[in-house]
Amino acid sequence: MDSFREPSIQGREEPPLEDRALRPQRMAEMVGQRGVYERLEIAIDAARKRRESLGHILLDGPPGLGKTTFATCIPNELGASLQIASGAALAAPKDLLPYLTNAAEGSVLFIDEIHRLPAAVEEFLYPAMEDFRIDITLGDGVAARTINMPLKPFTLVGATTRAGLLSAPLRDRFVIREHLDYYSPEELAEIVRRSATKLSMPMDDATADEIARRSRGTPRLANNRLRWIRDYSTSRADGRLDVDIARTALTMQGIDEMGLDGFDRRYLETIQRVFGGGPVGVEAIAHTMSAAPDTLEDDVEPFLLRCEFVVRTPRGRKLTPKGDEHIGGPAGRGRLF
Ligand code: ADP
């Protein structure tokens, strides 16, 4: 159906079609995020028992941590239908209209990248979220009149990598707000083992641990790296797989022992070499790297901040001694100015 779109998923590594095969369909199949899982489970259970629609849910966190997966599992738990839209594609209220009028009672409407909704669309959404009603203005000037159209009670699930960019009125209309954090190596190793089973790849624990350790706490990266290792094993190792083969395959992709790829290291090296370790604004780094500031802020910095390789100061980003060491410091070596 036209109105059912695949979500656009941000990130450097695009999700292949097989992603769908690896994506859990039920919440019980999801690994990690226990706090979020338990709170959502309670809200879903209560909605089901009271035969009411579930309150609107906002999920935020870096790309690839499971926001879309939660959003697709929730309607499965409720036995309800799901529509998927992307904030970037909803340019005007009329783009949102079919989703709202198609929403069945108790169904879920998932809006990915909800921080990218233009203000006019956001305002159109307020009465839909609050009173399950939309206000449509017909005509112009003195002849203009507003028609109120009732909607079926539905649940909006919004996902964002930038909760800070959401306007307060929109944020306040979400009853449940959850932040997804990076996965521990143990949780990620469990995801790798489950995905390997789904891909019919026999794997020992040491190999699963190694892939997990090198996946930046992110299930999407773990799955993508697993697929690459499978290709490498088929093409170069007669289908054999052990920790050394996994390591060789990942090194060939420029992935280091912390899971950073060439782009992450280039970011650190730019701060170190070009800006003498910082502090430097993200725009200047992005400009030097010919990258979009958004990509750095969404995709690169959260994990490097978490690793304490960089810090954010009022005057910009600064490389830490730990970050400096990771790329073979000392800071300032070969600095340009
Ligand atoms: P986001 O929407 O936050 O960018 P996704 O929900 O698309 O991330 O997750 C990317 C992939 O990672 C999914 O296709 C799924 O295979 C895997 N994944 C994410 N979260 C989990 C989880 N908790 N347990 C198992 N697999 C997960």
Side-chain angles (χ1 to χ4, degrees), residues 226-306:
L226 182 66
R227 281 196 207 88
W228 161 247
I229 290 166
R230 182 172 69 149
D231 288 350
Y232 181 88
S233 148
T234 307
S235 166
R236 296 293 157 93
D238 296 326
R240 279 177 299 114
L241 180 58
D242 60 26
V243 72
D244 287 331
I245 292 172
R247 239 178 242 151
T248 310
L250 291 175
T251 305
M252 202 171 162
Q253 270 199 334
I255 293 158
D256 65 26
E257 70 282 2
M258 285 287 294
L260 306 194
D261 64 16
F263 197 68
D264 297 318
R265 283 195 304 278
R266 201 148 72 78
Y267 168 91
L268 295 173
E269 280 159 11
T270 302
I271 303 180
Q272 185 202 59
R273 193 172 52 81
V274 184
F275 298 102
V280 55
V282 68
E283 283 81 13
I285 306 171
H287 203 68
T288 312
M289 293 176 69
S290 301
D294 279 1
T295 307
L296 298 185
E297 284 194 72
D298 282 351
D299 227 10
V300 177
E301 292 186 329
F303 189 71
L304 298 178
L305 287 162
R306 160 95 184 218

Side-chain angles (χ1 to χ4, degrees), residues 201-222:
M201 292 169 73
M203 181 178 291
D204 59 31
D205 284 350
T207 308
D209 290 348
E210 183 68 11
I211 300 170
R213 210 162 56 80
R214 295 194 188 213
S215 294
R216 289 162 107 251
T218 308
R220 178 179 300 140
L221 293 187

Side-chain angles (χ1 to χ4, degrees), residues 9-10 19-20 22-24 29-34 61-70 110 112 159 161 180 183 191 194-195 218-221 223 227:
I9 299 175
Q10 291 187 332
D19 208 42
R20 256 172 279 170
L22 297 185
R23 196 191 290 285
E29 294 166 35
M30 294 184 73
V31 177
Q33 309 290 353
R34 284 303 93 179
L65 295 193
K67 298 182 294 297
T68 306
T69 307
F70 268 116
F110 173 50
D112 199 12
T161 47
L180 303 193
Y183 291 67
I191 293 175
R194 291 185 188 196
S195 296
T218 308
R220 178 179 300 140
L221 293 187
N223 284 341
R227 281 196 207 88

Side-chain angles (χ1 to χ4, degrees), residues 17 39 45 68 119 124 131 159 187 194 243 263-264 312-313:
L17 279 181
R39 287 185 292 273
D45 187 45
T68 306
F124 187 65
D131 305 320
E187 290 165 346
R194 291 185 188 196
V243 72
F263 197 68
D264 297 318
R312 289 172 79 150
T313 73

